[in-house]
Amino acid sequence: MDTVTNNSICKTACGVSSVANSRQNNGFKEQHGLQCIAPLVQTVEETPEPIPTIVKGTIPTWIKGSLLRNGPGKFEFGNQHFNHWFDGMALMHRFLIMDGQVTYRSRFLRSDSYKQNSERNRIMVSEFGTLAFPDPCKNIFQRFLSRFEMMKPTDNASVNFIKYKGDYYVSTETNFMHKVDPETLQTKEKVDWSKFIVINGATAHPHSDPDGTVYNMGNSFSRKGTLYNIISVPPGKDGNDDTLQGAKVLCSIIPTDKTRPSYYHSFAMSENYVVIIEQSVKMDLIKIVTSKLRGKNISNGIYWDPNQETIFQLVNKHTGKVSPVKYHTKPLSTFHQINAFEEDGFLMVDLCCSDDGQAMNNYLIQNLRKSGEALDEVYNSLGKSFPRRFVLPLSITNETPLQQNLNTRPNSSATAICQSEERVFCTFEDLHGDDLVDYGGLEFPHIHYNRCNTKPYRYFYGCGFRHLVGDSLIKMDLENKKLKVWSQPGFYPSEPVFVPSPDAEEEDDGVILSVVLTPTEDQSTFLLVLDAKTFEELGRAEVPVKIPYGFHGVFNSA
């Protein structure tokens, strides 16, 4: 292991430090004395006009563009507060990098949810983990009837920045997105997927081909049942057509259990296939549809089923044909895939996954704001996410030998056992060494996307999670499964975004950008710039305002 900066200093409460103790628990590091991170999930003010930052070290002058970030930034209205981290109102951030200098600005997304909540100074729109109570201005009978109304999906697009046909959008997992100006961060228009194709939502993690075609995945719900839909949006636009004009459903797949489809946050894609991962985190549609009537949150209908195997289903991107072969593995949960590529008759699917799928319902605001032993208990109860590879053999016929490992790739410990012509059972290969356990696993994976997506690759980057949020940056080398780490006491970096250097020859020629936060008053938030090859710090741009911990973002070249 190559460690650039490593330490074991954690905090017992905000502003009070101690050396963290840890012990092994089922293969994971159990942490004690975690620092209170409550200030990272507190409401902040927006900064609509660009403000300068203080640059320390050197930010390469070849970096020209903006790091755009998205995440929750307001957690209450009036005397009402959101219950879940995912529910906070979307706050968009822009770090403009030019000539070695950086400016910062932020704006709240003017979604319908934000505007309605602001006008009444109370929570008017239900979110993932927060049920909006009936309007007290209505009479008792009207409030009673409101429980029987269908819950409307939120347009609080707080997850990611995504791009369709040259336009930038912020997105969540409902059927609503918002087009935004990437320079001013002003909200331009609300876009409804269902006006273009029959779906009830789409992921905030689409994939794109070199020609600009964008692929996504979305559910559709009807009386006939639930479908997983693979979507494609063509590149470019003609005249004044809408951005999603020409979008189509490539294929629709019936879930293994129609009333309890799998939850998914993203999907994998190789050169020729879209990979649907039916994980063991399930959605009880009856509970979700009746949540308002029952006085429950939507999250109440999402649960972990350790008795359900995870299933990989493959869809040919060019024909829309679904492979008759289903690849099974043990129960797991996954939020993010790292990469997928085809080689020598196999499809490699690399993803960050856990053997426990209850984490999503544990990211309550009250949990994130705990301190001392209560915070330790929350962290130690969570399943940790680690990078793994599944090797799926593509040529399965009635002559394929049964009950033997079909994975013939050298130095690979993954297995693929053909049990019938339509069923292969797989086990994974770890994409890490034992030392990753010391950093709490890895999430928020990123690669050199334009060069390596759908292709064999060597490096990926992510956040280590020795806390409830990322507390280190990690570079993993797949050639030797060694890692490099950047970390400092009490600092919490966001997902790493790779930006290639001009005329880059090697895969890791470039920099890593990450927004680093701290819950203490005497240290500033800053944009960190690392040399992606050495993982050493080049410079940082200190921001004189507080920023909450966010989710995802992209680099927009100037």
Side-chain angles (χ1 to χ4, degrees):
M1 178 187 71
D2 297 316
T3 305
V4 177
T5 304
N6 182 20
N7 55 74
S8 59
I9 302 295
C10 291
K11 311 288 183 179
T12 54
C14 294
V16 182
S17 65
S18 70
V19 178
N21 298 312
S22 63
R23 63 182 175 85
Q24 289 290 133
N25 180 28
N26 297 324
F28 304 124
K29 285 283 187 180
E30 192 171 279
Q31 297 289 344
H32 298 278
L34 292 176
Q35 179 181 23
C36 174
I37 57 169
L40 304 187
V41 285
Q42 299 284 359
T43 294
V44 301
E45 298 293 327
E46 65 180 3
T47 307
E49 297 301 323
I51 59 174
T53 65
I54 299 174
V55 173
K56 294 184 177 179
T58 301
I59 295 179
T61 55
W62 59 260
I63 306 176
K64 299 181 184 298
S66 302
L67 177 65
L68 303 173
R69 296 268 305 152
N70 197 0
K74 185 173 177 60
F75 298 95
E76 67 283 313
F77 286 91
N79 61 1
Q80 296 182 353
H81 61 84
F82 293 112
N83 298 325
H84 201 283
W85 186 26
F86 298 174
D87 299 343
M89 295 291 97
L91 180 63
M92 303 173 290
H93 312 264
R94 183 194 191 212
F95 295 85
L96 174 62
I97 310 171
M98 295 292 289
D99 301 321
Q101 299 298 312
V102 179
T103 59
Y104 168 79
R105 77 191 313 169
S106 66
R107 286 184 188 271
F108 281 106
L109 176 70
R110 265 50 178 188
S111 62
D112 291 346
S113 298
Y114 178 87
K115 290 186 286 189
Q116 291 177 35
N117 294 340
S118 298
E119 288 169 3
R120 297 292 185 89
N121 198 29
R122 65 186 301 272
I123 296 174
M124 299 292 297
V125 181
S126 295
E127 301 290 341
F128 173 75
T130 304
L131 181 66
F133 291 102
D135 190 340
C137 295
K138 295 181 179 180
N139 61 41
I140 294 176
F141 183 65
Q142 288 174 321
R143 292 202 298 270
F144 173 74
L145 288 180
S146 69
R147 286 191 174 272
F148 296 89
E149 297 173 354
M150 286 293 293
M151 187 181 294
K152 297 179 180 179
T154 180
D155 67 335
N156 177 36
S158 63
V159 178
N160 204 0
F161 270 89
I162 57 181
K163 198 173 184 180
Y164 291 103
K165 297 185 179 181
D167 291 324
Y168 276 95
Y169 291 76
V170 285
S171 177
T172 180
E173 296 181 343
T174 68
N175 54 303
F176 296 118
M177 302 187 299
H178 286 271
K179 185 186 292 186
V180 297
D181 185 321
E183 294 185 3
T184 65
L185 300 182
Q186 290 180 323
T187 306
K188 298 177 71 174
E189 65 178 281
K190 178 179 173 180
V191 176
D192 184 350
W193 273 100
S194 64
K195 297 292 179 63
F196 299 90
I197 50 178
V198 184
I199 59 171
N200 295 99
T203 81
H205 290 283
H207 280 290
S208 60
D209 271 344
D211 69 353
T213 302
V214 180
Y215 297 85
N216 211 329
M217 181 175 171
N219 282 346
S220 58
F221 308 112
S222 68
R223 293 180 181 179
K224 295 181 180 180
T226 305
L227 295 172
Y228 303 131
N229 300 289
I230 304 303
I231 310 158
S232 71
V233 179
K237 53 186 177 181
D238 299 321
N240 296 317
D241 72 346
D242 290 307
T243 295
L244 297 182
Q245 195 70 41
K248 63 180 181 180
V249 174
L250 285 179
C251 77
S252 299
I253 298 177
I254 300 174
T256 304
D257 185 336
K258 294 181 181 180
T259 62
R260 290 178 171 82
S262 291
Y263 167 80
Y264 54 86
H265 180 72
S266 58
F267 62 98
M269 186 180 82
S270 68
E271 183 180 0
N272 296 298
Y273 296 96
V274 168
V275 184
I276 299 173
I277 304 173
E278 282 198 281
Q279 61 175 320
S280 306
V281 178
K282 299 293 183 178
M283 297 189 296
D284 187 322
L285 297 184
I286 301 300
K287 283 188 175 182
I288 291 174
V289 170
T290 62
S291 58
K292 189 174 183 180
L293 177 64
R294 296 182 300 110
K296 298 290 185 179
N297 305 322
I298 296 172
S299 60
N300 181 253
I302 299 179
Y303 66 100
W304 165 247
D305 188 347
N307 298 312
Q308 290 292 320
E309 292 181 342
T310 293
I311 302 173
F312 297 85
Q313 297 203 53
L314 309 187
V315 177
N316 188 299
K317 286 162 51 178
H318 312 295
T319 65
K321 183 178 179 181
V322 182
S323 170
V325 182
K326 293 184 178 181
Y327 302 86
H328 294 245
T329 190
K330 68 177 186 177
L332 61 80
S333 68
T334 179
F335 278 102
H336 304 109
Q337 286 70 60
I338 305 168
N339 199 4
F341 62 93
E342 302 157 45
E343 192 172 61
D344 301 327
F346 295 95
L347 172 59
M348 272 56 69
V349 182
D350 297 349
L351 65 161
C352 295
C353 56
S354 169
D355 297 321
D356 184 305
Q358 302 183 73
M360 183 161 45
N361 285 323
N362 287 329
Y363 273 92
L364 302 173
I365 294 294
Q366 64 183 32
N367 287 341
L368 291 168
R369 292 178 179 171
K370 288 179 177 179
S371 61
E373 292 183 359
L375 181 61
D376 297 342
E377 184 178 349
V378 173
Y379 175 82
N380 292 326
S381 70
L382 298 177
K384 309 304 183 288
S385 182
F386 286 87
R388 298 168 175 175
R389 171 170 293 175
F390 290 87
V391 180
L392 313 182
L394 293 173
S395 300
I396 303 295
T397 68
N398 56 8
E399 297 181 355
T400 300
L402 303 181
Q403 305 305 326
Q404 69 181 56
N405 184 14
L406 303 179
N407 179 18
T408 57
R409 290 177 60 82
N411 304 316
S412 173
S413 59
T415 66
I417 308 296
C418 185
Q419 298 177 330
S420 73
E421 193 175 346
E422 296 184 349
R423 176 185 169 96
V424 177
F425 190 85
C426 302
T427 65
F428 61 82
E429 169 191 356
D430 286 323
L431 295 182
H432 63 90
D434 293 339
D435 48 4
L436 185 59
V437 174
D438 295 334
Y439 296 95
L442 184 146
E443 255 295 351
F444 293 152
H446 265 248
I447 61 173
H448 185 163
Y449 191 91
N450 290 340
R451 174 171 174 159
C452 299
N453 188 52
T454 76
K455 300 178 178 66
Y457 68 114
R458 180 174 174 178
Y459 303 107
F460 65 90
Y461 312 87
C463 284
F465 273 73
R466 291 172 298 189
H467 213 299
L468 293 176
V469 297
D471 70 341
S472 61
L473 293 170
I474 294 173
K475 175 186 180 180
M476 187 65 65
D477 185 345
L478 291 176
E479 191 170 277
N480 52 29
K481 296 185 180 178
K482 290 186 177 181
L483 53 80
K484 294 185 189 314
V485 179
W486 181 95
S487 69
Q488 291 187 8
F491 284 67
Y492 298 89
S494 69
E495 67 171 355
V497 174
F498 178 84
V499 181
S501 59
D503 304 318
E505 295 184 1
E506 296 185 323
E507 183 183 328
D508 58 348
D509 283 346
V511 298
I512 291 294
L513 302 180
S514 176
V515 180
V516 182
L517 312 179
T518 174
T520 59
E521 294 294 333
D522 59 337
Q523 296 167 319
S524 69
T525 299
F526 58 91
L527 174 67
L528 174 69
V529 183
L530 297 180
D531 184 312
K533 188 177 292 292
T534 66
F535 234 51
E536 294 177 348
E537 180 173 341
L538 297 174
R540 60 178 67 179
E542 296 182 346
V543 183
V545 297
K546 291 292 183 182
I547 299 176
Y549 199 89
F551 296 139
H552 301 291
V554 297
F555 184 76
N556 177 28
S557 298

